[in-house]
């Protein structure tokens, strides 16, 4: 494969020399037209080709092609929107106690090379991550003791109790032991011919596109009505937007500016976009500094920012203003207490914000500037990475909102790595970044746990604002060490209350699962009425559900 | 490539000695007599005027975000509005200031370095000349835009001043080379030798005798560097390596591109800044036509 | 011989400066490029395991050795064209990514530069010949304009109007999506079809410089004594132009052309970005926005190398064209 693409580019040079003779020749080659038939391949766009795709289907590689997600499968399917579980390679699981987890595997599943899928493959997968820590991106072996195969079961023994990590175990890509045993370094392995349990296998690969063809041995073969997937490399945003608007792809997951007019309006019968809410974007404040260590100041921030304007004018109205409880709405169902959210409703109210600042003892001068401790105007910096254009725009709006209160805010846009390095070491005042997590506990853990924080100058993995609170830690730990849903629910509500009353962070808006699709060739996409999966084609493990739901248009 | 026009100056032969005031007068007269450079001067004058009075001319404040978002051109907004609800025409007018400052800032830094390095190299001769020429040639060969991209992507800040500094410090070698060869020819002129014999110090000779006699060359090199500076800065801003919060023609193109302006029918948002850049640049090239003829009488002939 | 020696020394000196700059810039600037890759590995909002952190550092060759020993090691790697592993296309090497991209740029931009030179120079001769006539005025004014506008802006408009609205040209890439690169006639035609629009925008926005330069050289040479002598002798004007003037006037443009060929690899960065053309400029742009520092530095060195070598070759060729240089050494 590699040799072929180098040959292809070497070819380009000689072709251009030939072109000098025929530079005036007419451009009469027709565009490759797609046949609108039930058997047409599913055309998607999801991987960036910069400048071309590089072949890498190794599911452990941080740079693997999204196609690996359509071939390798997890033990359990977990809906990224609402956490709903569907048995997949495993038919069930059981916590024997909080330190012992047992998965029972599905029988009759075959690898694409015809060999049977067994518990040995699963145990091998996890032990490989132990052997090569660079593969263990979720740090599972910081809590695991051992993983062993036992008949059609796999037993996970924990050295540290961590019930939420079930999610990472359940959604790990399971690889074929016989294949990976022979790989000397699985970290740099590019896996050109994956042996998989999933619905597709690699068909062909070029730097502009790769094709996956249906796996005839797939255990749910009857549910797959797509003969092949063609994944076209993403290039520039403009060109991608143009391709999407011409209906050249069936599914894409892009931030398309003004997509109602540039995409959907071009064929409202067939072009759609359902973008459910996801990652909360939040205002991080450095709690080790005045005035952010003052609760009243944080409350003032929560009232001072016009979230509706951020969403409407900064985010093309795709997103939604977020609630102080920080969790996306779909995740809150059955987890938090909705009436609390109504009591602590931090809506846009600059007058109230001004009153809170006044109560803090902050004075204004004749020019209406809010004065800091030194008698000068209170002047703050707000960071977000360069290139995140919509977020930079949001930050400008925040700066304007705070400007109305007499606070001078300077928006800084260092590079992505500098921004995150600043956040990790606490070298910032305010920042607008996302706080991710696949499930509610992960979000609260990432945002609030002192375990993932650090003193200023030391690297904090995610609790950048440095919220150090024993009560919070105890609640998070208690949730993680029990399988009792009642205790877990009570813990979540207590954590929700901390968010609502202490405001360690000020959430701004919910990001969305980017999504555009057409019904020209396939129907059965996830929608608001039937949210069976997160709709983005890079969503792991959700998109396997989509691929087993789609029906060709007759 | 515009530098090739400047390089021509190296061949010119200013036989007579000129003082500062004589030179300024002569330059302006010649430029005004030449049709193209007159047009260039007028266009440039308009841009400078807009740059100075920008905020007063603009129909709305650029901080005003209360308009409809992503709107096409209309009577209220001649060039439409941005995705954040700002008036594009106001941005274009106010952005003239930063753009002109960027162009001339780069031109100034580059020309200053070119004068210092080029003139000392040409006047000194010997080993100093060898070293300075080597440095000049090295920087001449280093590819500008990629070097700038590397520098800008590592740079801590993103302000307009930083862009001016980085572009300015990498765009002097062409000017230095041209000025050096001109000084080398002037060095043996009678009036310079006379000043040397009279015991004048080297800096005094350079400022009183050499510089005024190559003023046209210096200005031409300044204009070329300014054009190069503007185009380079616009390129960097378009790639997102500039200050996205500053309003300039380059950052307008960046935002328009990011908001998919063309796809949404907002062609004016993309077209207008590009046209302004082209017209501003064209005015500089036109003025340089006059300089070409000033230093090279053979090019003259269209103003009888 | 002395000339050759001087040029070789200059070649090596420039190369050394470029390599050293490339080594120093990332190390003098704040921030830790390694954290980018680690962030990519960890994914946002996930935990960092100190063990895996170290494993990744070792794998990427991130060194905590002294600057001097790092420099020594770096020089050794550069000599072997080993620029490390790309962050964005890990585990592929920087060399691999460059080898994929370079031929496309050489083809597209190389050809465009040649075309631009030929057309620009010819029009320059025409303008000088029709000096102060309508043709001259129109041609020089237009080229002053095209010379001054940002070429990526022109490319943006061209893609939108010609490719998107009218489908006259393909939207993106170097060949039709889905086709497999081969030496077949159909594929070659396809590559040409994809190259026309990017090439056109490069030619239009760069030929103005050649035109103006050639026009000035021509007018300059037209006034030389031997030309005046030739016209006095009654040679037909057309004959003088082609035989004497153009041949001599083109000399400075030829060196410029050789330089431009060296800048080919660097010159089309923004055009490649707009057309998503899979060349070296687009690769560099992607390296920059994704903070793929090893790739960015590798590409920068390759670009410098092309420029320096082209410059060297141009200098040597110039000796063949113009014997006067042999005596003079450096200009």
């Amino acid at each position: 494969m590699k040799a072929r693409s180098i040959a292809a580019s070497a070819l380009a040079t000689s072709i251009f020399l030939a072109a000098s003779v025929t530079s005036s020749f007419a451009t009469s080659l027709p565009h490759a037209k797609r046949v609108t038939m039930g058997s047409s391949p599913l055309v998607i766009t999801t991987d960036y080709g910069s400048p071309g795709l590089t072949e890498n289907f190794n599911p452990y590689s941080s740079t693997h092609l999204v196609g690996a997600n359509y071939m390798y499968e997890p033990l359990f399917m977990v809906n990224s929107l609402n956490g709903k579980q569907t048995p997949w390679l495993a038919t069930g699981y059981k916590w024997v106690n909080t330190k012992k987890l047992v998965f029972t595997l599905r029988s009759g599943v075959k690898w694409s090379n015809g060999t049977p899928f067994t518990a040995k493959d699963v145990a091998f997968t996890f032990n490989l991550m132990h052997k090569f820590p660079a593969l263990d991106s979720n740090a599972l072996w910081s809590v695991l003791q051992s993983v062993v195969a036992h008949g059609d079961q796999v037993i996970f023994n924990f050295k540290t109790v961590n019930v939420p990590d079930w999610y990472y175990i359940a959604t790990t890509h399971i690889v074929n032991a016989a294949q990976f045993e022979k790989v000397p370094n699985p970290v740099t392995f590019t896996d050109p011919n994956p042996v998989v349990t999933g619905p597709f296998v690699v068909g062909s690969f070029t730097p502009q596109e790769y094709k996956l063809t249906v796996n005839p041995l797939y255990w749910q073969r009857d549910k797959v009505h797509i003969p092949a997937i063609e994944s076209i490399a993403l290039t520039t945003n403009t060109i991608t937007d143009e391709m999407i608007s011409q209906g050249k792809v069936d599914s894409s997951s892009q931030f398309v500016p003004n997509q109602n007019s540039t995409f959907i309006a071009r064929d409202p019968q067939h072009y759609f976009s359902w973008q459910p809410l996801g990652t909360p974007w939040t205002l991080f404040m450095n709690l080790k500094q005045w005035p952010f260590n003052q609760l009243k100041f944080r409350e003032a921030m929560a009232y001072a920012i016009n979230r509706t304007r951020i969403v409407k004018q900064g985010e093309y109205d795709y997103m939604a203003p977020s609630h102080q409880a920080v969790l996306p709405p779909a995740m809150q169902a059955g987890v938090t207490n909705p009436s609390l959210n109504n009591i602590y409703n931090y809506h846009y109210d600059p007058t109230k914000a001004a009153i809170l600042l006044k109560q803090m003892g902050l004075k204004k001068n004749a020019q209406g500037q809010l004065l800091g401790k030194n008698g000068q105007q209170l002047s703050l910096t707000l960071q977000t990475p360069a290139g995140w254009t919509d977020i930079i725009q949001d930050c400008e709006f925040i700066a304007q909102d705070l400007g109305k209160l007499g606070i001078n805010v300077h928006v800084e846009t260092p590079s992505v790595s500098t921004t995150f390095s600043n956040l990790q070491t606490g070298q910032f005042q305010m920042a607008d970044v996302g706080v991710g997590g696949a499930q509610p506990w992960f979000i609260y853990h990432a945002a609030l746990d002192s375990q993932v924080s650090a003193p200023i100058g030391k690297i904090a993995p995610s609790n950048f604002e440095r919220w150090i609170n024993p009560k919070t830690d105890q609640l998070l730990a208690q949730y993680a060490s029990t399988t009792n849903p009642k205790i877990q629910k009570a813990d979540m509500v207590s954590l929700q209350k901390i968010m609502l009353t202490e405001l360690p962070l000020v959430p701004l808006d919910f990001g969305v699962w980017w999504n555009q699709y057409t019904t020209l060739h396939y129907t059965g996409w996830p929608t608001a009425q039937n949210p069976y999966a997160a709709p983005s084609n890079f969503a792991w493990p959700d998109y396997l559900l989509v691929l087993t739901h789609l029906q060709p248009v007759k | 490539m515009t530098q090739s026009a400047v390089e021509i100056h190296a061949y010119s032969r200013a036989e007579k000695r000129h003082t500062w005031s004589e030179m300024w007068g002569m330059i302006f007269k010649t430029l005004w007599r030449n049709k193209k450079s007159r047009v260039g001067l007028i266009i440039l004058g308009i841009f400078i005027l807009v740059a100075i009075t920008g905020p007063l001319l603009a129909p709305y404040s650029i901080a005003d975000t209360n308009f409809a978002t992503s709107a096409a051109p209309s009577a209220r907004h001649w060039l439409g509005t941005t995705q954040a609800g700002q008036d594009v025409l106001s941005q274009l007018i106010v952005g003239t200031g930063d753009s002109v400052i960027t162009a001339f800032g780069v031109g100034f830094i580059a020309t200053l370095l070119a004068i210092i390095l080029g003139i000392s190299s040409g006047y000194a001769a010997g080993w100093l000349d060898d070293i300075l020429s080597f440095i000049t040639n090295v920087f001449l060969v280093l590819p500008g835009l990629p070097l700038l991209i590397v520098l800008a992507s590592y740079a801590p800040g993103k302000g307009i001043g930083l862009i001016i500094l980085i572009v300015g410090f990498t765009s002097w070698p062409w000017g230095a080379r041209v000025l050096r060869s001109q000084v080398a020819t002037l060095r043996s002129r009678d009036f310079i030798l006379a000043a040397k014999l009279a015991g004048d110090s080297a800096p005094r000779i350079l400022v009183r005798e050499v510089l005024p006699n190559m003023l046209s060359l210096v200005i031409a090199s300044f204009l070329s560097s300014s054009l190069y500076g503007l185009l380079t800065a616009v390129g960097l801003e378009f790639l997102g390596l500039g200050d996205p919060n500053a309003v300039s023609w380059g950052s307008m193109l960046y935002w328009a591109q990011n908001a998919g302006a063309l796809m949404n029918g907002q062609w004016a948002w993309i077209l207008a800044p590009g046209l302004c850049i082209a017209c501003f640049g064209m005015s500089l090239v036109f003025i340089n036509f006059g300089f070409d003829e000033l230093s090279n009488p053979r090019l003259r002939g269209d103003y009888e | 011989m002395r000339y050759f020696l001087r040029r070789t020394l200059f070649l090596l000196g420039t190369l050394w400066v470029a390599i050293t700059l490339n080594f120093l810039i990332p190390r003098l600037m704040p921030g830790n490029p390694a954290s980018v890759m680690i962030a990519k590995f960890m994914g946002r909002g996930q935990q960092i395991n100190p063990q895996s952190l170290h494993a990744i550092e070792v794998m990427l060759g991130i060194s905590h050795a002294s600057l001097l020993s790092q420099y020594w090691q770096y020089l050794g790697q550069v000599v072997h064209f080993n620029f490390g592993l790309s962050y964005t296309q890990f585990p592929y090497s920087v060399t691999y990514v460059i080898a994929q991209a370079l031929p496309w740029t050489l083809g597209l931009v190389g050809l465009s530069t040649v075309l631009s030179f030929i057309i620009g120079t010819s029009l320059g001769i025409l303008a000088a010949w029709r000096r102060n006539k309508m043709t001259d005025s129109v041609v020089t004014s237009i080229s002053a304009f095209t010379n001054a506008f940002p070429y990526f802006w022109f490319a943006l408009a061209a893609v939108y109007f010609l490719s998107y609205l009218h489908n006259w040209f393909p939207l993106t890439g170097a060949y039709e999506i889905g086709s497999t690169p081969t030496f077949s006639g159909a594929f070659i035609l396809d590559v040409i079809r994809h190259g026309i629009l990017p090439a056109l925008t490069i030619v239009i926005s760069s030929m103005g410089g050649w035109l103006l330069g050639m026009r000035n050289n021509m007018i300059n040479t037209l006034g030389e004594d031997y030309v005046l002598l030739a016209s006095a002798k009654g040679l037909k004007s057309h004959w003088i132009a082609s035989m004497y003037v153009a041949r001599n006037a083109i000399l400075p443009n030829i060196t410029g052309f050789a330089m431009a060929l060296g800048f080919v690899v660097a010159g089309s960065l923004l055009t490649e970005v707009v057309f998503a053309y899979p060349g070296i400029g687009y690769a560099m742009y992607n390296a920059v926005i994704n903070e793929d520092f090893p790739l960015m530095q590798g590409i920068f060195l390759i670009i410098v190398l092309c420029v320096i070598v082209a410059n060297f070759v141009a200098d040597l060729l110039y000796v063949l064209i113009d014997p006067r240089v042999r005596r003079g050494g450096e200009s």
Side-chain angles (χ1 to χ4, degrees):
Chain A
M1 292 286 181
K2 270 182 238 172
R4 195 171 67 208
S5 22
I6 288 179
S9 19
L11 200 64
T13 318
S14 47
I15 287 164
F16 272 104
L17 296 176
S20 61
V21 189
T22 53
S23 58
S24 61
F25 106 98
T27 60
S28 53
L29 284 180
H31 268 280
K33 287 252 159 52
R34 290 181 57 201
V35 190
T36 314
M37 266 169 35
S39 61
S40 72
L42 181 76
V43 180
I44 64 164
T45 179
T46 183
D47 291 293
Y48 274 93
S50 51
L53 299 168
T54 42
E55 191 171 21
N56 183 355
F57 294 111
N58 178 354
Y60 300 125
S61 177
S62 66
T63 49
H64 72 72
L65 295 166
V66 173
N69 290 349
Y70 311 155
M71 299 188 286
Y72 288 100
E73 292 188 301
L75 294 174
F76 252 72
M77 186 59 59
V78 187
N79 184 320
S80 298
L81 302 175
N82 51 29
K84 187 170 173 279
Q85 301 173 1
T86 313
W88 212 255
L89 288 178
T91 51
Y93 67 92
K94 188 169 185 279
W95 287 98
V96 177
N97 56 55
T98 53
K99 285 197 163 188
K100 188 172 183 182
L101 171 65
V102 178
F103 278 92
T104 306
L105 302 187
R106 188 177 297 279
S107 60
V109 175
K110 279 201 166 65
W111 290 100
S112 52
N113 64 3
T115 57
F117 161 79
T118 67
K120 283 208 183 83
D121 293 309
V122 179
F124 172 84
T125 297
F126 287 92
N127 286 310
L128 190 70
M129 290 195 264
H130 193 199
K131 200 168 154 197
F132 295 94
L135 304 178
D136 186 10
S137 53
N138 297 307
L140 282 175
W141 284 94
S142 63
V143 297
L144 285 176
Q145 177 72 48
S146 67
V147 180
V148 286
H150 181 79
D152 66 344
Q153 294 189 321
V154 184
I155 300 156
F156 294 81
N157 294 304
F158 289 72
K159 62 183 175 205
T160 312
V161 181
N162 192 321
V163 175
D165 265 359
W166 173 89
Y167 171 81
Y168 288 124
I169 292 171
T171 59
T172 290
H173 299 80
I174 304 298
V175 298
N176 181 288
Q179 185 205 5
F180 269 76
E181 262 166 4
K182 296 195 197 83
V183 175
N185 185 355
V187 182
T188 55
F189 179 52
T190 56
D191 199 11
N193 295 301
V195 177
V196 298
T197 58
F200 293 93
V201 291
V202 172
S204 64
F205 178 87
T206 71
Q208 291 196 346
E209 182 204 54
Y210 59 88
K211 285 193 183 111
L212 306 179
T213 52
V214 75
N215 172 6
L217 301 176
Y218 187 46
W219 58 278
Q220 300 183 93
R221 182 66 188 85
D222 56 317
K223 288 192 181 172
V224 182
H225 306 289
I226 303 163
I229 296 176
E230 287 180 24
S231 181
I232 301 171
L234 288 169
T235 52
T236 67
N237 288 336
T238 312
I239 288 172
T240 307
D241 296 350
E242 287 170 347
M243 275 172 51
I244 294 171
S245 79
Q246 291 179 335
K248 287 182 177 168
V249 292
D250 296 312
S251 159
S252 59
S253 305
Q254 289 295 294
F255 174 21
V256 179
N258 298 301
Q259 66 178 10
N260 282 337
S261 62
T262 61
F263 169 63
I264 294 169
R266 280 166 210 254
D267 186 355
Q269 299 290 309
H270 297 104
Y271 292 0
F272 298 95
S273 168
W274 174 57
Q275 304 192 137
L277 303 177
T279 306
W281 289 85
T282 43
L283 183 69
F284 278 89
M285 293 165 287
N286 192 333
L287 303 180
K288 293 290 173 201
Q289 285 184 21
W290 186 90
F292 312 112
N293 54 8
Q294 305 292 310
L295 176 60
K296 281 226 172 358
F297 187 84
R298 301 200 294 271
E299 283 179 344
M301 294 298 101
Y303 283 113
I305 296 166
N306 184 348
R307 297 178 180 81
T308 313
R309 180 164 74 151
I310 289 179
V311 166
K312 280 209 175 353
Q313 286 179 263
E315 303 291 347
Y316 299 92
D317 216 359
Y318 295 157
M319 306 192 174
S322 74
H323 193 273
Q324 183 59 36
V326 88
L327 302 178
M331 270 193 202
Q332 291 204 36
V335 173
T336 56
N337 180 348
S339 62
L340 276 179
N341 279 350
N342 292 332
I343 298 167
Y344 299 95
N345 185 6
Y346 297 87
H347 53 281
Y348 175 52
D349 189 347
T351 326
K352 194 153 186 179
I355 292 169
L356 284 161
L357 292 173
K358 208 170 177 182
Q359 285 173 355
M360 262 179 82
L362 295 178
K363 301 219 163 33
K364 278 190 178 178
N365 66 11
Q367 291 88 42
Q369 297 175 333
L370 197 72
L371 302 180
K373 275 180 168 174
N374 56 3
Q376 303 284 317
Q377 183 182 20
L378 185 57
S379 191
L380 307 171
T381 60
L382 173 57
Q383 290 187 22
T384 206
W388 295 12
T389 47
D390 52 331
I391 312 293
I392 294 170
Q393 186 65 59
D394 299 347
C395 287
E396 287 296 318
F397 288 137
I398 295 172
Q400 283 184 9
D401 287 338
L402 300 191
K404 282 177 201 149
L405 294 171
I407 304 170
N408 176 36
V409 176
H410 182 68
V411 179
E412 291 179 345
T413 59
S415 68
V416 180
S417 62
T418 310
T419 306
F420 278 95
S421 153
N422 288 346
L423 286 167
Q424 285 168 349
T425 53
Q427 309 298 320
F428 73 102
Q429 289 192 301
M430 298 189 291
D432 181 356
V433 293
V435 47
Q439 303 206 305
W441 184 85
F442 292 113
I443 294 181
Y444 279 147
H445 165 72
L448 307 174
D449 202 326
S450 70
Q451 265 184 35
V452 287
S453 195
I456 300 288
K458 292 267 166 18
I459 288 179
S462 66
N463 181 349
F464 306 132
E465 81 281 8
R466 287 154 165 89
W467 175 252
I468 313 292
N469 180 284
K471 171 111 191 289
T472 311
D473 290 349
Q474 186 251 323
L475 287 166
L476 284 165
Q478 182 171 299
Y479 181 104
S481 60
T482 179
T483 52
N484 182 335
K486 270 192 188 139
I487 300 175
Q488 288 192 327
K489 159 107 198 191
D491 289 339
M492 271 296 146
V493 173
S494 305
L495 286 165
Q496 175 197 7
K497 201 160 179 187
I498 288 175
M499 271 306 293
L500 294 175
T501 55
E502 305 279 341
L503 298 92
L505 309 160
V506 173
L508 299 167
D509 53 340
F510 292 116
V512 295
W513 291 90
W514 303 115
N515 171 39
Q516 299 82 28
Y517 63 94
T518 80
T519 54
L520 291 169
H521 310 99
Y522 288 95
T523 56
W525 304 92
T527 59
Q529 290 74 39
N530 185 14
Y532 64 85
S536 303
N537 54 22
F538 54 77
W540 168 259
D542 304 57
Y543 213 69
L544 279 172
L545 279 170
V546 178
L547 293 176
T548 47
H549 266 76
L550 292 182
Q551 298 287 336
V553 173
K554 294 282 175 329
Chain B
M1 250 137 257
T2 51
Q3 274 88 354
S4 63
V6 177
E7 206 176 23
I8 288 298
H9 292 272
Y11 305 124
S12 73
R13 296 175 184 80
E15 289 298 341
K16 282 199 344 241
R17 171 187 186 272
H18 297 285
T19 60
W20 281 102
S21 57
E22 273 171 28
M23 269 320 267
W24 280 115
M26 200 172 95
I27 287 171
F28 188 77
K29 235 183 276 169
T30 316
L31 289 184
W32 195 253
R33 264 193 305 183
N34 181 304
K35 254 187 271 166
K36 283 202 191 88
S37 33
R38 200 187 311 160
V39 172
L41 281 174
I42 292 171
I43 299 178
L44 183 65
I46 294 172
F47 273 114
I48 293 177
L49 207 68
V50 172
I52 295 168
T53 57
L56 301 174
L57 290 177
Y60 306 100
S61 156
I62 52 164
D64 196 340
T65 54
N66 295 319
F67 307 115
T69 57
S70 305
S74 64
R76 280 191 64 202
H77 304 284
W78 292 1
L79 299 178
T81 60
T82 70
Q83 90 291 346
Q86 297 138 311
D87 180 52
V88 174
L89 179 64
S90 305
Q91 286 196 332
L92 189 73
I93 292 172
V94 175
T96 308
D98 267 6
S99 310
V100 171
I101 288 172
T102 308
F104 288 151
V106 171
F108 178 77
I109 294 177
T111 311
L112 196 69
L113 287 171
I115 290 176
I116 294 170
L117 287 153
I119 292 187
S120 31
S121 165
Y123 189 78
W127 61 271
L128 186 63
D129 182 27
D130 281 346
I131 292 175
L132 290 178
S133 290
F134 175 74
I135 296 175
T136 308
N137 285 328
V138 166
F139 273 87
L140 199 60
V141 170
L142 288 183
L145 190 60
L147 177 64
L148 286 168
I149 288 174
V150 171
L151 280 172
S153 58
Y154 278 114
K158 298 256 175 255
I160 183 175
L162 190 85
I163 292 270
I164 293 176
L165 275 180
I166 293 181
V167 180
F169 272 93
T170 48
S171 52
W172 55 269
W174 269 105
R177 190 148 124 168
V178 172
L179 294 182
R180 177 188 161 272
S181 37
Q182 175 72 359
V183 175
T185 65
L186 279 178
R187 203 173 51 201
S188 52
R189 292 289 147 78
D190 291 342
F191 61 88
I192 305 274
L193 292 174
K196 268 189 190 166
L197 288 175
D200 286 356
S201 66
R204 187 181 157 89
I205 295 175
L206 287 178
V207 174
R208 289 282 302 269
E209 312 290 343
V210 176
L211 261 185
N213 283 287
M214 47 195 292
L215 189 59
S216 68
L217 209 55
V218 171
I219 299 176
S221 148
F222 170 76
L223 294 178
S224 296
S225 312
S226 299
L227 172 60
Y228 170 82
L230 179 65
L231 287 178
T232 312
V234 165
L236 286 177
E237 284 172 331
F238 177 70
L239 291 179
L241 293 167
D243 179 3
N245 306 321
V247 175
S248 68
W249 296 333
S251 70
M252 284 178 73
L253 285 173
Y254 172 69
W255 281 103
Q257 174 70 354
N258 268 295
L262 279 178
M263 284 276 291
N264 201 34
Q266 297 171 270
W267 45 267
W269 189 8
I270 292 238
L271 209 64
L275 275 180
C276 279
I277 295 162
C279 287
F280 181 83
M282 192 178 67
S283 75
L284 300 183
V285 177
F286 272 4
I287 296 173
N288 259 352
F289 276 130
F291 276 111
D292 283 348
E293 294 175 7
L294 184 72
S295 52
N296 190 356
R298 282 175 191 151
L299 294 169
R300 251 176 246 173
D302 60 342
Y303 50 82
E304 285 90 326
Chain C
M1 200 55 218
R2 185 158 162 269
Y3 175 76
F4 181 78
L5 205 71
R6 283 190 78 139
R7 298 318 301 168
T8 311
L9 273 178
F10 175 71
L11 172 92
L12 294 175
T14 319
L15 207 55
W16 175 77
V17 170
I19 291 171
T20 307
L21 269 180
N22 213 17
F23 172 80
L24 281 179
I25 292 170
R27 285 167 181 81
L28 292 179
M29 300 289 186
N32 174 14
S35 68
V36 185
M37 187 59 189
I38 288 158
K40 274 188 206 305
F41 257 87
M42 294 308 161
R44 272 222 302 279
Q46 292 176 357
Q47 304 160 39
I48 293 177
N49 177 348
Q51 263 179 317
S52 35
L53 201 88
H54 182 70
I56 293 165
E57 282 195 342
V58 169
M59 190 176 66
L60 292 174
I62 292 164
S63 168
H64 298 288
S66 78
L67 207 61
L68 204 67
S69 72
Q70 278 188 53
Y71 182 56
W72 190 242
Q73 201 188 350
Y74 179 78
L75 287 180
Q77 288 171 342
V78 168
V79 168
H80 295 102
F81 282 94
N82 172 8
F83 304 118
L85 302 179
S86 159
Y87 287 176
T88 43
Q89 318 217 9
F90 184 87
Y92 288 91
S93 69
V94 168
T95 318
Y96 172 81
V97 178
I98 292 175
Q100 288 242 308
L102 197 56
W104 293 106
T105 298
L106 291 179
L108 173 71
V109 194
L111 182 71
S112 316
T113 308
V114 172
L115 279 179
S116 164
F117 175 74
I118 294 172
I119 299 173
T121 307
S122 314
L123 285 178
I125 295 173
L126 181 76
W129 199 239
R130 310 281 304 160
R131 182 154 49 122
N132 306 325
K133 304 264 168 51
M134 209 29 201
T135 328
D136 178 31
S137 239
V138 170
V139 165
T140 47
S141 298
I142 291 177
S143 57
F145 183 72
T146 58
N147 206 23
F149 66 41
Y151 60 92
F152 66 87
W153 169 74
F154 180 59
L156 275 178
V159 171
Y160 179 72
F161 290 108
L162 302 181
S163 301
Y164 178 69
L165 288 187
H166 293 289
N167 273 325
W168 291 346
F169 296 98
L171 269 181
T172 173
Y175 51 91
E176 196 60 54
I177 291 160
S179 69
T180 310
T182 52
F183 266 110
S184 70
F187 182 75
I188 290 170
L189 285 182
D190 189 34
V191 169
I192 295 170
R193 197 170 66 92
H194 278 74
I196 289 174
L197 198 55
L200 200 69
T201 60
I202 296 175
V203 169
I204 289 180
S205 52
S206 67
M207 69 180 198
W210 300 121
L211 194 157
L212 296 179
M214 190 61 195
R215 176 181 175 271
N216 283 358
N217 294 347
M218 279 287 287
I219 292 173
N220 225 17
T221 319
L222 279 170
E224 294 283 353
D225 294 343
Y226 65 91
V227 181
L228 298 175
L229 186 71
S231 6
K233 275 182 170 177
L235 275 174
K236 277 185 190 158
S237 58
H238 151 110
W239 182 244
I240 299 173
S242 51
M243 279 308 287
Y244 288 88
V245 183
R247 211 186 66 192
N248 284 296
I250 211 168
L251 273 180
N253 253 22
I254 290 268
T255 23
F257 177 61
M259 285 281 281
L261 279 184
F263 279 100
V264 157
V265 179
S268 62
L269 201 140
L270 291 159
T271 304
E272 287 189 4
V273 170
V274 170
F275 287 97
Y277 202 82
I280 209 87
Y282 186 47
M284 178 151 191
Y285 167 72
N286 278 295
V288 168
I289 56 168
N290 293 310
E291 298 187 82
D292 188 344
F293 295 104
L295 183 57
M296 190 167 90
Q297 292 180 39
I299 292 176
F300 178 72
L301 264 194
I302 289 294
I303 290 174
V304 172
L305 193 70
C306 291
V307 174
I308 294 175
V309 169
N311 207 36
F312 182 69
V313 173
D315 281 338
L316 296 188
L317 280 180
Y318 202 66
V319 181
L320 296 177
I321 306 171
D322 190 348
R324 282 170 296 179
V325 181
R326 257 173 265 168
R327 285 177 275 125
E330 279 194 48
S331 60

